[in-house]
Amino acid sequence: MNSSNQAIRLQKFIAQAGVASRRKAEELIAQGRVSLNGKKVTEMGIHVVPGDEVRVNGKLIGSEAQKVYYLLNKPKGIVSTAKDEKNRTNVTDFVPDHQRVFPVGRLDRETTGALILTNDGEFANFMTHPRYDMPKKYRVSVDGKLTRAISSQLESGVMIDGVEYKGIEFEMVTYDLKKNRSQFTVTLHEGKNRQIRKMFAHFKIPVLKLHRYAIGSLELEDMKIGMYRELRPFEVKKLLLTAKGEI
């Protein structure tokens, strides 16, 4: 195993190269899809030093790739993947660097709103790892009247099929008697798959619309559906500080 003051773990090197998040990089290594100086690597304890040749799926990678960060207002019906086996339009098709970026977390096909795309695996890890707290805000519309009894349970957290879901915070709850629907905003502090939809389905409440408008301090503001913009350096820094609990 290589060692020096400049040595870093192989999975971290892959993440810094923008190939994948660190967790995904570990999967690639375990699958035998990574080689170091011409030899296949399947162990996690390997280190990389300057001058080493690292390949993923046979393609040479480097850790000095320019980092890019985009905020996309995801349209409905678009899949949150970098590649889709069914060749459907995906979120990376909306930004210039679509061949080398990946989404930070996911929004399901029917959900619209704020999604970050980047080639910075370390940044993505801070944004999505369960031990970091990155609050996300959604505008929600549901069928029927949301009672205080149900919202209190959702604020306390619920157990669904043996999985614990942390509580969500409600704001601006309104009820349209004519349309028989409730509208409100919620803040989510974790990112389990389809979490909001599952939590409301647990109480047999259909979610009609779900739109994420903020990730931490980052808001869509006046961005139209399908639009994107590059994040400013101070925005990236603030997101990282938020995830680390330093602000």
Side-chain angles (χ1 to χ4, degrees), residues 145-156 158 203 205:
K145 187 173 183 178
L146 178 68
T147 66
R148 183 56 191 159
I150 290 178
S151 64
S152 294
Q153 291 183 66
L154 289 168
E155 287 176 330
S156 299
V158 295
F203 293 96
I205 301 175

Side-chain angles (χ1 to χ4, degrees), residues 51-234:
D52 280 343
E53 179 185 277
V54 178
R55 292 180 181 270
V56 176
N57 294 325
K59 183 179 179 180
L60 183 66
I61 66 170
S63 62
E64 302 304 322
Q66 181 181 1
K67 303 297 189 295
V68 294
Y69 310 86
Y70 296 107
L71 174 64
L72 171 70
N73 190 348
K74 175 192 168 299
K76 185 177 180 180
I78 303 299
V79 292
S80 296
T81 58
K83 294 181 181 179
D84 181 61
E85 66 280 359
K86 297 180 181 179
N87 292 319
R88 295 172 293 184
T89 301
N90 63 60
V91 291
T92 64
D93 292 327
F94 288 82
V95 299
D97 296 272
H98 65 94
Q99 292 183 329
R100 65 190 186 106
V101 299
F102 52 87
V104 179
R106 291 191 175 189
L107 291 176
D108 63 60
R109 286 186 66 190
E110 301 306 304
T111 300
T112 60
L115 186 67
I116 298 173
L117 297 100
T118 186
N119 61 349
D120 186 343
E122 287 292 284
F123 171 84
N125 184 59
F126 277 111
M127 293 298 102
T128 59
H129 197 284
R131 75 169 176 264
Y132 304 117
D133 181 8
M134 179 52 62
K136 306 171 192 70
K137 294 190 175 183
Y138 296 77
R139 295 190 181 97
V140 190
S141 177
V142 301
D143 190 33
K145 187 173 183 178
L146 178 68
T147 66
R148 183 56 191 159
I150 290 178
S151 64
S152 294
Q153 291 183 66
L154 289 168
E155 287 176 330
S156 299
V158 295
M159 183 75 72
I160 304 173
D161 296 330
V163 178
E164 183 179 357
Y165 292 84
K166 291 182 180 179
I168 56 181
E169 301 166 14
F170 285 85
E171 295 179 69
M172 300 172 62
V173 180
T174 62
Y175 174 64
D176 187 325
L177 179 62
K178 188 174 182 179
K179 294 182 179 180
N180 188 32
R181 66 176 56 175
S182 300
Q183 294 179 311
F184 42 86
T185 65
V186 299
T187 301
L188 189 69
H189 289 275
E190 62 181 353
K192 291 186 173 72
N193 184 42
R194 297 176 63 85
Q195 180 166 348
I196 292 176
R197 294 185 187 276
K198 288 180 179 178
M199 291 179 79
F200 281 94
H202 180 67
F203 293 96
K204 297 181 172 55
I205 301 175
V207 173
L208 304 176
K209 292 183 180 180
L210 186 57
H211 176 78
R212 184 163 72 190
Y213 69 92
I215 302 171
S217 58
L218 193 64
E219 294 194 13
L220 287 172
E221 296 177 339
D222 59 352
M223 286 178 61
K224 295 180 180 179
I225 288 288
M227 289 183 62
Y228 76 91
R229 70 170 178 84
E230 288 191 57
L231 296 189
R232 302 173 183 89
F234 80 86

